[in-house]
Amino acid sequence: MKCRVCKRDAQISLKSYNLNLCSNCFLEFFRKRVYTTINEFKMCTPKDRILVAVSGGKDSLSLWHILSDLGYRTCGLHIILDIGEYSQRSYQQVIKFAQTKSLELRVVSVRDEFGKSIKELAKIAKRPPCRVCGMVKRYLMNREAEAFDCLATGHNLDDEASTLLGNLLNWQEGFLSRQAPVLEENYTLKRKIKPFAFISQEEITLYAELCGIDYLEERCPFSRRATSLIYKGVLNKIEEEMPATKLRFYKGFIKREYFKGGKREELSPCKRCGYLTVGEVCNFCKLKEKVLERKNLTEGGDDVRRDSYLKGNH
Ligand code: SF4
Ligand code: ZN
């Protein structure tokens, strides 16, 4: 097997491109594709300050790695979710990466915001942990990106294709509008970019390993219940039989610009914080109010119990 570019021995076979490459030519191929995506979709310029959301996993750390290598001005953002030891290890991984590469990092914590962990918040909101976590992360990322030109996330082709499949299977037309590789700035919502939108998980893993990126392999314990894993599994099976299906699927969607003509939800500023939302108050502020109500109730409840105890009514 020979490298299609330099004709030396090839170690990598990319079935979806019907392409064999050596490690060096693969890295060059990878860099070019990320760079082309950024320019084609006018995601950012070298002058922009980019906030990169980093969890400690391979996608986000690879994204931070390549953006800084390509000369973009980046700062990492890590959100401590307080999901037991998984969160501690994620945080350590991000700190280590930032220190090794001498990159700037901002850290925010869910417990500092709410005084609760994601699991506790999910109970209060009576919602699955991933729903609450996703909403809280989106809000915090957007808020922290205020002083930046855009927010970059490590969403890859597998994420985009599986989300697209899920949205189509459930006919969630409103969500299709959020599936573009770049979402322009809109009032209080910062521009969001996904430079890996056309790059598969497999390619990112190769990149991370060839570049010696030390990432956390462990997944969040809540991810086992995520429906996106089912869609990913189905797409992987199709891909095995018919390489390049995921790429064709997502590219076909982007080409047809359904997301531009799709029904968009009517958004208006949250009455509490100004964040664009559906309805009067955003879900983040609603959750804060619920946490506060619960705290007042518990404290009030304690007082009532204490009073009745003192009065001998227990
Ligand atoms: Fe949050 Fe769910 Fe992802 Fe875990 S799997 S980080 S809970 S969204
Ligand atoms: Zn709000």
Side-chain angles (χ1 to χ4, degrees):
M1 187 164 97
K2 295 285 171 203
C3 170
R4 166 115 45 104
V5 182
C6 72
K7 314 295 177 211
R8 277 180 234 151
D9 284 347
Q11 296 84 27
I12 294 158
S13 175
L14 300 174
K15 283 201 184 128
S16 47
Y17 290 94
N18 194 18
L19 183 64
N20 298 328
L21 294 170
C22 70
S23 306
N24 284 341
C25 292
F26 168 77
L27 286 175
E28 198 45 38
F29 170 80
F30 188 95
R31 276 190 208 106
K32 263 193 195 150
R33 285 187 44 236
V34 175
Y35 192 66
T36 309
T37 306
I38 291 175
N39 291 330
E40 192 180 324
F41 289 90
K42 297 188 175 58
M43 290 184 173
C44 54
T45 70
K47 281 189 196 155
D48 287 344
R49 284 258 297 143
I50 308 168
L51 186 67
V52 188
V54 280
S55 65
K58 70 173 170 312
D59 298 342
S60 57
L61 289 187
S62 297
L63 179 64
W64 200 9
H65 185 276
I66 196 161
L67 288 178
S68 58
D69 265 19
L70 289 171
Y72 291 101
R73 300 164 69 212
T74 64
C75 170
L77 169 68
H78 181 68
I79 302 174
I80 302 178
L81 300 170
D82 210 339
I83 304 178
E85 289 182 6
Y86 163 76
S87 287
Q88 288 164 17
R89 287 193 276 268
S90 305
Y91 176 57
Q92 293 307 329
Q93 207 74 48
V94 172
I95 293 268
K96 205 162 115 194
F97 182 87
Q99 283 173 347
T100 318
K101 300 270 296 170
S102 304
L103 292 167
E104 191 189 341
L105 174 69
R106 292 167 90 111
V107 178
V108 287
S109 137
V110 169
R111 192 167 284 279
D112 288 349
E113 295 291 329
F114 292 93
K116 304 274 176 207
S117 70
I118 286 292
K119 203 173 168 182
E120 291 166 326
L121 289 176
K123 265 194 190 159
I124 293 171
K126 298 192 178 76
R127 293 264 185 279
C130 290
R131 283 270 291 277
V132 175
C133 178
M135 179 277 286
V136 168
K137 279 194 294 194
R138 276 194 299 279
Y139 186 95
L140 293 176
M141 286 192 286
N142 189 69
R143 189 188 72 189
E144 295 303 308
E146 202 186 340
F148 293 81
D149 294 289
C150 60
L151 170 76
T153 58
H155 290 96
N156 61 38
L157 176 64
D158 296 57
D159 298 323
E160 295 306 306
S162 60
T163 307
L164 179 58
L165 180 64
N167 286 339
L168 291 177
L169 287 175
N170 297 299
W171 288 113
Q172 289 184 300
E173 290 176 75
F175 289 165
L176 293 179
S177 58
R178 296 194 206 137
Q179 282 247 242
V182 55
L183 297 177
E184 285 308 333
E185 188 158 344
N186 179 10
Y187 186 56
T188 49
L189 299 178
K190 268 283 156 186
R191 183 175 4 131
K192 295 192 181 69
I193 63 170
K194 300 172 192 166
F196 281 167
F198 298 99
I199 304 210
S200 71
Q201 211 158 61
E202 187 192 358
E203 292 165 73
I204 297 171
T205 308
L206 280 169
Y207 176 81
E209 271 157 24
L210 290 172
C211 293
I213 297 170
D214 191 9
Y215 61 85
L216 187 71
E217 288 191 47
E218 178 184 346
R219 281 175 177 273
C220 167
F222 293 118
S223 69
R224 278 178 237 122
R225 290 180 226 161
T227 45
S228 62
L229 290 183
I230 302 172
Y231 299 136
K232 279 185 184 173
V234 170
L235 284 170
N236 282 340
K237 279 200 179 133
I238 302 174
E239 184 81 19
E240 258 174 51
E241 297 294 327
M242 293 181 281
T245 299
K246 284 182 218 171
L247 201 53
R248 262 199 319 275
F249 181 44
Y250 186 60
K251 272 193 171 172
F253 166 72
I254 297 298
K255 218 161 108 190
R256 284 165 180 81
E257 298 193 335
Y258 284 144
F259 50 87
K260 284 195 179 160
K263 273 189 216 157
R264 298 192 80 141
E265 292 155 314
E266 281 298 316
L267 300 176
S268 53
C270 165
K271 292 224 158 112
R272 309 270 188 278
C273 70
Y275 182 70
L276 275 196
T277 185
V278 184
E280 294 200 338
V281 178
C282 76
N283 286 332
F284 190 88
C285 289
K286 279 186 197 157
L287 186 57
K288 277 216 154 169
E289 281 165 12
K290 273 191 186 164
V291 171
L292 204 66
E293 265 170 35
R294 163 82 56 120
K295 193 169 170 257
N296 291 341
L297 257 178
T298 322
E299 283 172 0
D302 283 350
D303 287 348
V304 172
R305 261 186 310 251
R306 207 177 310 119
D307 287 354
S308 64
Y309 185 83
L310 288 174
K311 285 176 196 154
N313 293 339
H314 55 287

